[in-house]
Amino acid sequence: MKKSLLTFGKIFVTVALVLWLIERVDWRIVRSELSEVSLALLFLYGVFQLTGNLISVRKWQVIAEYKGLSFSLREGFFTYMTGAFINNFLPSTIGGDTYRGLWLARHSGARAAGISTVVFDRFIGLWTTAVLGLILSFTLWSDIRESVALSTTLLALVGFLLADLVITYLYCRQWFRDCVGRIPFVKVRRLFEEIIFYTKKGIWLRTSMWSGLFILVGIGLSNYTLFRALGIDISFLAFFSVILLVAIVVNLPISINNIGVKEWAYVVFFGLVGVSAETAVTAALLSRFIQMILSFVAIPQYFKMRRNSTHQTIEKAVE
């Protein structure tokens, strides 16, 4: 029942936002902008996206190393892209993360540790984006009172970081660790114990630096190039402050594969720096389409994984 209600809620949000976009956007202008886009800059956008993915894989690799787990950059890249490919057909990005966690768990033989690397990978990315987003929000200070979306997002980020400080403090207390040790469910307890490991300071500094590099290349430069491909001339600092907030909102699991949410976030937040709704939607659609095309490089790896899974199932059945 809970899953059904959650799915229905996501469908409702998706439909509502799509209808809002249909009403708000002049789609003739969108069609015109798509016909005039710079193909060379679109290609460069794809290069930045793939580079950002490689940086993300390296960050995941660093996290795994702290756990004594290892995989090659090539293995990690194709696993990462396979997760992105799977996300094209699932209602949220959680599916791709789940795939990565299970892949590493099987690859390393350490289930809890493998899954915990993906949990921390996702968390440190959100944490770094939140910190940078708040720091750069000063460029949008004059719009806070007028934009409900902006003020709500910034308040949510402040709340998230404060909650993180409280949780980190608790994780560092021995009495809290003792409480975790008394959790009756072995798998849940084991996962908590693995996550507590990440309170060590060294891993935060190193992985947040990799997250910052990904944010600069995979989010900032790539999307700035995409907007320049549409002929938008905007200062990089203003653009960067907005795209960070958009990146956070887009990852909220409140619609089917963030359909509608991504386009809405582009329209609302980029509107604060003078970008028209039509241009913002065009950029969002191009971004979605190119990222989907790039994820297709993982198709051979995906079918290889499916074949291996089938063979293992048959072997177990024979045994």
Side-chain angles (χ1 to χ4, degrees), residues 6 39 75 95 98-99 130 138 184 196 214:
L6 182 61
L39 296 180
E75 290 175 325
T98 302
Y99 170 77
F138 74 90
I196 287 175
F214 164 75

Side-chain angles (χ1 to χ4, degrees), residues 2 34 39 44 49 62 80 101 113 142 162 166 169 262 266 316:
K2 289 181 180 179
L34 284 173
L39 296 180
L44 184 59
Q49 282 286 304
V62 168
Y80 201 94
S142 60
L162 289 176
V166 172
Y169 172 80
K262 182 172 185 174
Y266 270 63
K316 288 182 180 179

Side-chain angles (χ1 to χ4, degrees), residues 10 49 53 77-101 118 121-122 250-253 255-259 262 288-289 291-296 298-299 302 305:
K10 289 184 176 183
Q49 282 286 304
N53 288 335
F77 176 75
F78 280 104
T79 301
Y80 201 94
M81 297 304 293
T82 302
F85 173 73
I86 292 172
N87 281 336
N88 294 322
F89 311 102
L90 293 176
S92 72
T93 58
I94 296 175
D97 288 340
T98 302
Y99 170 77
R100 286 198 295 137
V118 176
D121 181 23
R122 176 66 74 164
V250 163
N251 280 286
L252 294 176
S255 71
I256 303 297
N257 204 12
N258 74 29
I259 295 174
K262 182 172 185 174
R288 185 185 295 279
F289 176 74
Q291 287 176 6
M292 180 180 67
I293 294 299
L294 291 177
S295 72
F296 287 172
I299 289 179
Y302 174 75
M305 177 269 294

Side-chain angles (χ1 to χ4, degrees), residues 1-291:
M1 179 62 71
K2 289 181 180 179
K3 290 183 179 180
S4 298
L5 290 174
L6 182 61
T7 302
F8 176 78
K10 289 184 176 183
I11 293 174
F12 176 80
V13 171
T14 301
V15 173
L17 290 177
V18 168
L19 291 176
W20 180 83
L21 288 167
I22 292 174
E23 180 66 24
R24 176 72 180 270
V25 176
D26 187 338
W27 293 95
R28 292 172 299 180
I29 296 178
V30 173
R31 183 172 57 190
S32 175
E33 292 193 344
L34 284 173
S35 64
E36 298 175 1
V37 68
S38 169
L39 296 180
L41 289 177
L42 282 186
F43 176 79
L44 184 59
Y45 167 78
V47 172
F48 278 133
Q49 282 286 304
L50 289 175
T51 304
N53 288 335
L54 282 172
I55 294 171
S56 290
V57 171
R58 178 53 187 154
K59 179 184 66 172
W60 183 31
Q61 200 176 39
V62 168
I63 296 171
E65 288 171 357
Y66 271 88
K67 285 292 187 180
L69 310 179
S70 64
F71 54 86
S72 68
L73 194 64
R74 181 182 182 278
E75 290 175 325
F77 176 75
F78 280 104
T79 301
Y80 201 94
M81 297 304 293
T82 302
F85 173 73
I86 292 172
N87 281 336
N88 294 322
F89 311 102
L90 293 176
S92 72
T93 58
I94 296 175
D97 288 340
T98 302
Y99 170 77
R100 286 198 295 137
L102 293 177
W103 174 85
L104 184 55
R106 178 178 296 180
H107 180 77
S108 63
R111 185 179 180 86
I115 293 175
S116 73
T117 63
V118 176
V119 174
F120 183 73
D121 181 23
R122 176 66 74 164
F123 175 81
I124 197 65
L126 176 59
W127 185 86
T128 309
T129 306
V131 171
L132 291 176
L134 283 175
I135 292 174
L136 294 177
S137 65
F138 74 90
T139 61
L140 305 169
W141 196 253
S142 60
D143 298 304
I144 289 179
R145 291 186 178 181
E146 298 179 3
S147 175
V148 176
L150 176 60
S151 57
T152 301
T153 301
L154 293 179
L155 284 174
L157 294 183
V158 171
F160 166 74
L161 292 176
L162 289 176
D164 173 58
L165 288 175
V166 172
I167 294 172
T168 302
Y169 172 80
L170 292 176
Y171 275 165
C172 294
R173 303 300 97 184
Q174 186 59 47
W175 63 265
F176 183 81
R177 295 169 183 262
D178 294 338
C179 290
V180 170
R182 297 190 184 98
I183 296 176
F185 304 102
V186 177
K187 292 183 179 179
V188 175
R189 182 175 70 247
R190 180 60 178 155
L191 183 59
F192 264 94
E193 290 171 347
E194 292 289 345
I195 293 175
I196 287 175
F197 174 87
Y198 296 113
T199 56
K200 294 186 177 181
K201 297 180 180 179
I203 191 172
W204 278 72
L205 177 61
R206 192 176 177 191
T207 54
S208 61
M209 290 178 63
W210 280 107
S211 291
L213 183 60
F214 164 75
I215 290 169
L216 175 62
V217 177
I219 296 179
L221 291 176
S222 66
N223 284 283
Y224 187 70
T225 302
L226 179 60
F227 274 75
R228 291 304 299 265
L230 293 169
I232 299 301
D233 187 10
I234 181 176
S235 72
F236 183 72
L237 181 60
F239 178 88
F240 198 50
S241 62
V242 172
I243 195 63
L244 291 179
L245 301 179
V246 170
I248 292 172
V249 173
V250 163
N251 280 286
L252 294 176
I254 58 175
S255 71
I256 303 297
N257 204 12
N258 74 29
I259 295 174
V261 173
K262 182 172 185 174
E263 290 74 13
W264 172 86
Y266 270 63
V267 170
V268 171
F269 287 98
F270 280 109
L272 299 175
V273 290
V275 178
S276 69
E278 288 74 20
T279 300
V281 167
T282 305
L285 293 176
L286 281 172
S287 172
R288 185 185 295 279
F289 176 74
I290 295 174
Q291 287 176 6

